[in-house]
Amino acid sequence: ALIIQRETEIEPVFHYTCRDRNMLGMLSDLLGAAAGGLRNVLILTGDPPAMGPYPDSTAVFDIDSIGLTNLLRRLNQGLDPGGNPIGEPTRYVVGVALNQGAERERELERFAWKVDAGADFAVTQPVFDAVQLEGFLSRAQSPVPVIAGIWPLTSLRNAEFLANEVPGVVVPPTIIERMRKAQEHGSAAARAEGIAIASEMVE
């Protein structure tokens, strides 16, 4: 994120999970990122390592995304987790994840906690069913902006992987079938269909 900001003058949103470091490590990372000029962060709890490419590694999970959002709010007030002054406050704009396809009542409850902890915006899981997202948002009545995650599918394999292997991502059978038919005409046709589906979700 620092390299992107320095070399392109694009203001990035860096993605940070709670899985891999203890709270002191996270505090160090986030203070360093703020000192480097980063201002926008998307906080996620993170999936267990068994779901990634290094299944033998262990997770830390000192705190979850709600706890880290609260910690960032305190840093923005100029205080460390113990309530001690840190000097100049950080100026983070804090994003959190929103899983519109999860068990609804539990996800609504967690989203409310994230907002209470200090979230400034939310980003959804990839949207492949706009009606599902609309239903979730009508229940959530979000007091913060919600950014819909848009994921252009690249192939049938990509669609099936998301549908079967990525927790919280819902790819409806109709979308899988569209990608299957497109894939029959080659990889370029599949990519074009993935872009068409993403465009429909944006609309």
Side-chain angles (χ1 to χ4, degrees):
L2 286 165
I3 291 167
I4 289 168
Q5 184 159 286
R6 183 179 67 239
E7 297 190 5
T8 68
E9 298 183 2
I10 292 171
E11 189 175 341
V13 179
F14 73 96
H15 170 176
Y16 196 90
T17 65
C18 302
R19 174 191 57 219
D20 305 318
R21 295 170 179 81
N22 66 19
M23 190 178 72
L24 291 176
M26 289 188 274
L27 179 64
S28 176
D29 284 346
L30 293 164
L31 287 173
L38 296 178
R39 296 289 173 258
N40 310 297
V41 59
L42 175 62
I43 298 295
L44 291 89
T45 297
D47 294 322
M51 305 187 70
Y54 307 109
D56 295 328
S57 60
T58 57
V60 181
F61 290 122
D62 258 8
I63 53 177
D64 66 4
S65 58
I66 298 166
L68 189 55
T69 301
N70 190 54
L71 185 150
L72 280 165
R73 180 178 62 181
R74 291 182 66 80
L75 292 179
N76 280 347
Q77 296 168 344
L79 301 171
D80 74 6
N84 303 302
I86 61 170
E88 183 180 348
T90 59
R91 293 185 287 133
Y92 278 116
V93 178
V94 181
V96 294
L98 181 59
N99 186 350
Q100 74 278 6
E103 191 278 308
R104 185 168 285 186
E105 295 307 319
R106 175 71 175 149
E107 186 66 11
L108 285 168
E109 183 178 50
R110 283 186 58 81
F111 181 46
W113 291 342
K114 291 173 183 180
V115 171
D116 287 345
D120 298 302
F121 69 97
V123 179
T124 73
Q125 288 282 11
V127 176
F128 298 104
D129 183 344
V131 173
Q132 178 191 65
L133 177 61
E134 288 169 350
F136 186 94
L137 293 178
S138 70
R139 292 281 308 279
Q141 297 293 305
S142 176
V144 299
V146 175
I147 300 169
I150 301 298
W151 184 302
L153 296 165
T154 58
S155 65
L156 172 61
R157 183 178 178 187
N158 180 217
E160 290 177 333
F161 179 82
L162 285 175
N164 299 318
E165 303 296 333
V166 181
V169 177
V170 177
V171 184
T174 54
I175 298 293
I176 298 287
E177 187 57 27
R178 283 178 63 178
M179 292 302 294
R180 186 183 319 281
K181 288 179 179 175
Q183 192 74 54
E184 291 172 0
H185 299 286
S187 58
R191 281 194 300 274
E193 186 67 8
I195 291 169
I197 292 165
S199 298
E200 291 167 19
M201 294 304 109
V202 170
E203 289 174 12

